[in-house]
Amino acid sequence: MNLSIVNLASIAVFLSVFLFPSFNSTYWLKWRASLIPSTKFGADLIVKNGVIFTSDPSFPFANSMAIRDGRILRIGNYSSLQDLSGYGTKELNLEGKVVVPGFIDSHVHLISAGLQMARVQLEGVNRKDEVVRRVKEAVLNAKRGSWILGGGWNNDLWGGELPMASWIDEVTPDNPVWLTRMGGHMGLANSVALKLAGVTNLTKDPNGGKIIQTADGEPTGLLIDAAMELILSWIPEASVDERREAMLRASSFALTRGVTTVVDVGRYFPGSSVEHSWQDFSDVYQWADSSGKMKIRVCLFFPMETWSRLHGVIHRAGRALSNWIYLGGVKAFADGSLGSNSALFHEPYFDDPHNYGLQVLEFESLFNMTIASDMSGLQVAIHAIGDKANDLILDMYESVALKNGKRDRRFRIEHAQHLAPGTADRFGQQGIVASVQPDHLLDDADAAIRKLGVDRAQKGSYLFRSLLSSNALLALGSDWPVTSTYPLHAIRTAMNRIPPGWDTAWIPSERLSLNDALIAHTISAARACFLENEIGSLSTGKLADFVILSSDSWDEFATGGSTSVNATYVGGIQAYP
């Protein structure tokens, strides 16, 4: 330390104590701090008198923690933190409330979710006439000729009948319409949109996609997976401002649910452009980061077709661009979805006996891209829902690991919803991340029984406990906007597994404990994307992301179903409310 500064500070002490005894002590402390170079050891914030779940099995609970510069300085009993309390330290009395690490949603489409929040919302609609009413309302508020966009519909909620263009043609005579089914693997176009895109009875199914037709061969308006590109290519791109607003809107909503980090797999799905993810990276995320507008942390995955581009960015800038943006890896698709009968199975659909589902990407191409991505050190995540798709990807991952050599690669399978006998064990044996979404089972229970038959549905669907018991790394998420991001709800679903209208659990042996579900939404979710050194648990050195719940005790949280989020902190700063 510079001796002249020390001498100056000493003179100030003498003058204030002996010559100016009435000198305000607060002003003196501030002035002294401005003269002496920072040697700060105290905390900015001490959170005390709570039930703090650390996610650390060796020290599962604490009642207080000290935070400095956005990170946890120390955690333990309040008395053990007293030496960290000093001038400027604030204290937050939790009054016995439960605190958990900030939730990590392991699978979202963040900007798509934000865009959907401003469009026709059909999630939870259980009547045909309500679909029509909401579309009609949107048309009344739109310009003639402009696109009406929306999504989230689930035909299983109104008995299973698939919608048709004729449902909405009468209320949309001058506006093209595109409404995606929940899951994003099927969409409904009205006749105006079909005509605009040139989709007729002569249009052939593209590879990896299907155009649904009537018995007379006419398109019904429904397009599956890669066939959606026939319509999507005609829909005007969301502007930069719209996408920025969507990201901020979705981030604010996520904070209300206690989500502090998301794994964003982007606006990329079969039939869409691989450029969307890269445009959002530069136009939205880098803009928000540089302008100080980021609200939650994001781990970004990009289309596998662009692996070399991502490798180049990581080589130049590293994986952590800031405390807000991490570059996760690459993502691809193996199959479609159960709801659109395009998930790939070993046996045909019970309600469609000639259909085994769709393999979205040609296997050799997927294999070669996976080898190249893995050899470049990138984490690979692949969407697989049907049992055959999961087996194909596990086989491929095994071959790639043998070819490229041993390393900590943490291959991911996104969804892993329906597994053949013995497949759950392979996840653990191969060290595969199972990135699953519990709330999907609420929508799929009845549909799975109808589409797969009772035996297959009961033996192989949403095998959370089996995956965990195999030592697979289980990470929970939502697939937002397919279902809303709501970790507390997803945790209850994983614990109870009771679909709407049911009195008993669907496959009760596959239920998770509260502790297992919490860990899967926090520290395991962090490990699943190589971020366990930064987030996921409340321990010394980690970023201070945490959620204060409404429960007054751990027992109340464990047994009650009404727990909600009282406050969300990101980097030790209150972000909600």
Side-chain angles (χ1 to χ4, degrees):
M1 184 182 295
N2 190 302
L3 287 176
S4 63
I5 294 177
V6 174
N7 290 334
L8 183 58
S10 299
I11 293 169
V13 172
F14 174 83
L15 290 174
S16 63
V17 173
F18 295 102
L19 298 183
F20 305 105
S22 62
F23 189 84
N24 185 293
S25 61
T26 300
Y27 284 87
W28 147 246
L29 288 167
K30 288 183 177 179
W31 184 69
R32 183 186 68 171
S34 70
L35 292 174
I36 301 174
S38 176
T39 56
K40 180 181 178 184
F41 292 101
D44 299 321
L45 174 68
I46 291 181
V47 180
K48 65 180 184 179
N49 191 25
V51 181
I52 302 174
F53 179 74
T54 67
S55 292
D56 182 349
S58 64
F59 181 56
F61 294 101
N63 67 26
S64 301
M65 61 181 170
I67 297 164
R68 185 178 70 204
D69 297 331
R71 291 184 181 268
I72 297 172
L73 187 59
R74 191 185 300 166
I75 186 164
N77 295 323
Y78 180 63
S79 60
S80 69
L81 309 181
Q82 290 302 290
D83 61 312
L84 300 176
S85 180
Y87 174 73
T89 300
K90 296 180 180 179
E91 291 196 353
L92 173 62
N93 188 344
L94 296 170
E95 299 179 343
K97 297 295 184 186
V98 171
V99 172
V100 296
F103 292 115
I104 300 168
D105 192 323
S106 295
H107 188 112
V108 305
H109 310 267
L110 191 66
I111 294 175
S112 296
L115 290 170
Q116 176 57 30
M117 289 172 73
R119 294 174 175 173
V120 180
Q121 298 193 47
L122 299 174
E123 182 180 351
V125 172
N126 58 10
R127 302 191 322 273
K128 168 185 173 180
D129 61 346
E130 180 61 15
V131 173
V132 177
R133 188 194 69 77
R134 295 193 184 191
V135 172
K136 182 178 180 179
E137 183 179 5
V139 171
L140 294 175
N141 295 312
K143 295 180 180 178
R144 181 178 179 182
S146 64
W147 278 85
I148 305 298
L149 304 174
W153 57 267
N154 178 7
N155 52 298
D156 293 321
L157 296 181
W158 58 70
E161 180 187 3
L162 287 169
M164 302 176 66
S166 58
W167 285 22
I168 55 175
D169 279 346
E170 186 176 341
V171 298
T172 59
D174 303 309
N175 295 81
V177 178
W178 177 248
L179 306 171
T180 55
R181 189 187 189 276
M182 61 168 295
H185 291 267
M186 177 190 285
L188 174 68
N190 69 343
S191 293
V192 175
L194 292 173
K195 183 177 180 180
L196 181 67
V199 177
T200 70
N201 58 355
L202 300 177
T203 306
K204 302 295 184 183
D205 290 338
N207 290 332
K210 184 174 182 60
I211 302 167
I212 303 297
Q213 297 178 326
T214 67
D216 297 329
E218 296 296 326
T220 67
L222 290 171
L223 296 94
I224 298 176
D225 287 317
M228 296 189 298
E229 174 61 15
L230 298 170
I231 296 292
L232 293 176
S233 62
W234 290 87
I235 298 174
E237 285 291 325
S239 69
V240 171
D241 286 342
E242 286 174 326
R243 288 183 282 126
R244 288 175 177 175
E245 290 170 5
M247 189 276 289
L248 296 175
R249 183 187 304 122
S251 298
S252 294
F253 181 80
L255 289 169
T256 70
R257 296 290 175 82
V259 176
T260 56
T261 300
V262 298
V263 176
D264 184 6
V265 293
R267 292 188 296 135
Y268 171 63
F269 50 87
S272 67
S273 170
V274 298
E275 293 301 316
H276 287 164
S277 295
W278 288 99
Q279 292 165 357
D280 291 341
F281 173 54
S282 58
D283 294 344
V284 180
Y285 288 118
Q286 289 188 304
W287 161 81
D289 195 23
S290 63
S291 58
K293 294 182 182 296
M294 289 295 291
K295 300 179 181 182
I296 60 174
R297 308 186 199 283
V298 295
C299 179
L300 303 177
F301 275 71
F302 296 81
M304 191 185 287
E305 291 91 330
T306 65
W307 68 266
S308 61
R309 197 188 317 185
L310 179 60
H311 174 65
V313 173
I314 292 176
H315 180 73
R316 292 190 303 271
R319 188 163 172 261
L321 302 188
S322 68
N323 279 339
W324 296 100
I325 301 178
Y326 302 89
L327 302 178
V330 292
K331 186 205 173 188
F333 289 83
D335 65 346
S337 69
L338 181 74
S340 59
N341 281 31
S342 58
L344 186 63
F345 286 93
H346 289 292
E347 299 178 38
Y349 283 83
F350 189 76
D351 63 346
D352 190 1
H354 299 292
N355 179 21
Y356 291 80
L358 289 173
Q359 186 170 319
V360 172
L361 194 62
E362 194 272 324
F363 186 80
E364 184 178 357
S365 174
L366 181 61
F367 181 65
N368 291 336
M369 287 193 298
T370 301
I371 287 178
S373 300
D374 179 68
M375 191 175 292
S376 298
L378 300 175
Q379 188 179 19
V380 175
I382 298 179
H383 162 121
I385 288 181
D387 56 15
K388 184 175 182 179
N390 277 276
D391 284 342
L392 284 172
I393 299 309
L394 287 169
D395 289 344
M396 185 184 72
Y397 279 162
E398 188 172 31
S399 297
V400 171
L402 286 172
K403 183 175 180 63
N404 287 350
K406 186 176 181 180
R407 71 175 179 88
D408 183 10
R409 46 179 43 94
R410 303 185 202 180
F411 280 142
R412 295 170 62 113
I413 288 184
E414 305 298 314
H415 309 305
Q417 287 179 3
H418 306 282
L419 305 178
T423 297
D425 291 337
R426 295 185 62 189
F427 277 77
Q429 292 163 6
Q430 295 179 220
I432 305 299
V433 175
S435 171
V436 302
Q437 301 77 43
D439 280 344
H440 280 341
L441 74 82
L442 301 178
D443 296 310
D444 275 359
D446 292 322
I449 292 171
R450 185 173 65 252
K451 293 174 180 293
L452 306 179
V454 174
D455 188 58
R456 285 165 63 193
Q458 291 281 42
K459 289 182 178 178
S461 301
Y462 295 89
L463 304 183
F464 303 151
R465 172 56 56 190
S466 295
L467 286 165
L468 201 59
S469 297
S470 80
N471 293 318
L473 189 55
L474 193 69
L476 301 190
S478 67
D479 204 8
W480 191 30
V482 178
T483 62
S484 182
T485 184
Y486 198 176
L488 288 174
H489 194 274
I491 287 168
R492 293 295 174 194
T493 298
M495 292 171 63
N496 299 324
R497 297 179 64 103
I498 301 177
W502 289 42
D503 296 321
T504 58
W506 185 29
I507 321 179
S509 61
E510 295 297 331
R511 291 178 295 191
L512 297 180
S513 69
L514 172 61
N515 191 71
D516 288 337
L518 259 178
I519 288 174
H521 235 318
T522 52
I523 188 62
S524 290
R527 289 193 187 106
C529 53
F530 289 92
L531 289 177
E532 68 270 25
N533 292 329
E534 294 291 306
I535 56 174
S537 64
L538 298 177
S539 55
T540 301
K542 299 288 182 69
L543 289 164
D545 300 348
F546 61 95
V547 182
I548 303 172
L549 302 179
S550 61
S551 297
D552 291 318
S553 69
W554 190 257
D555 286 342
E556 180 185 330
F557 178 38
T559 58
S562 59
T563 298
S564 59
V565 173
N566 274 6
T568 304
Y569 282 71
V570 182
I573 297 174
Q574 186 172 342
Y576 166 78

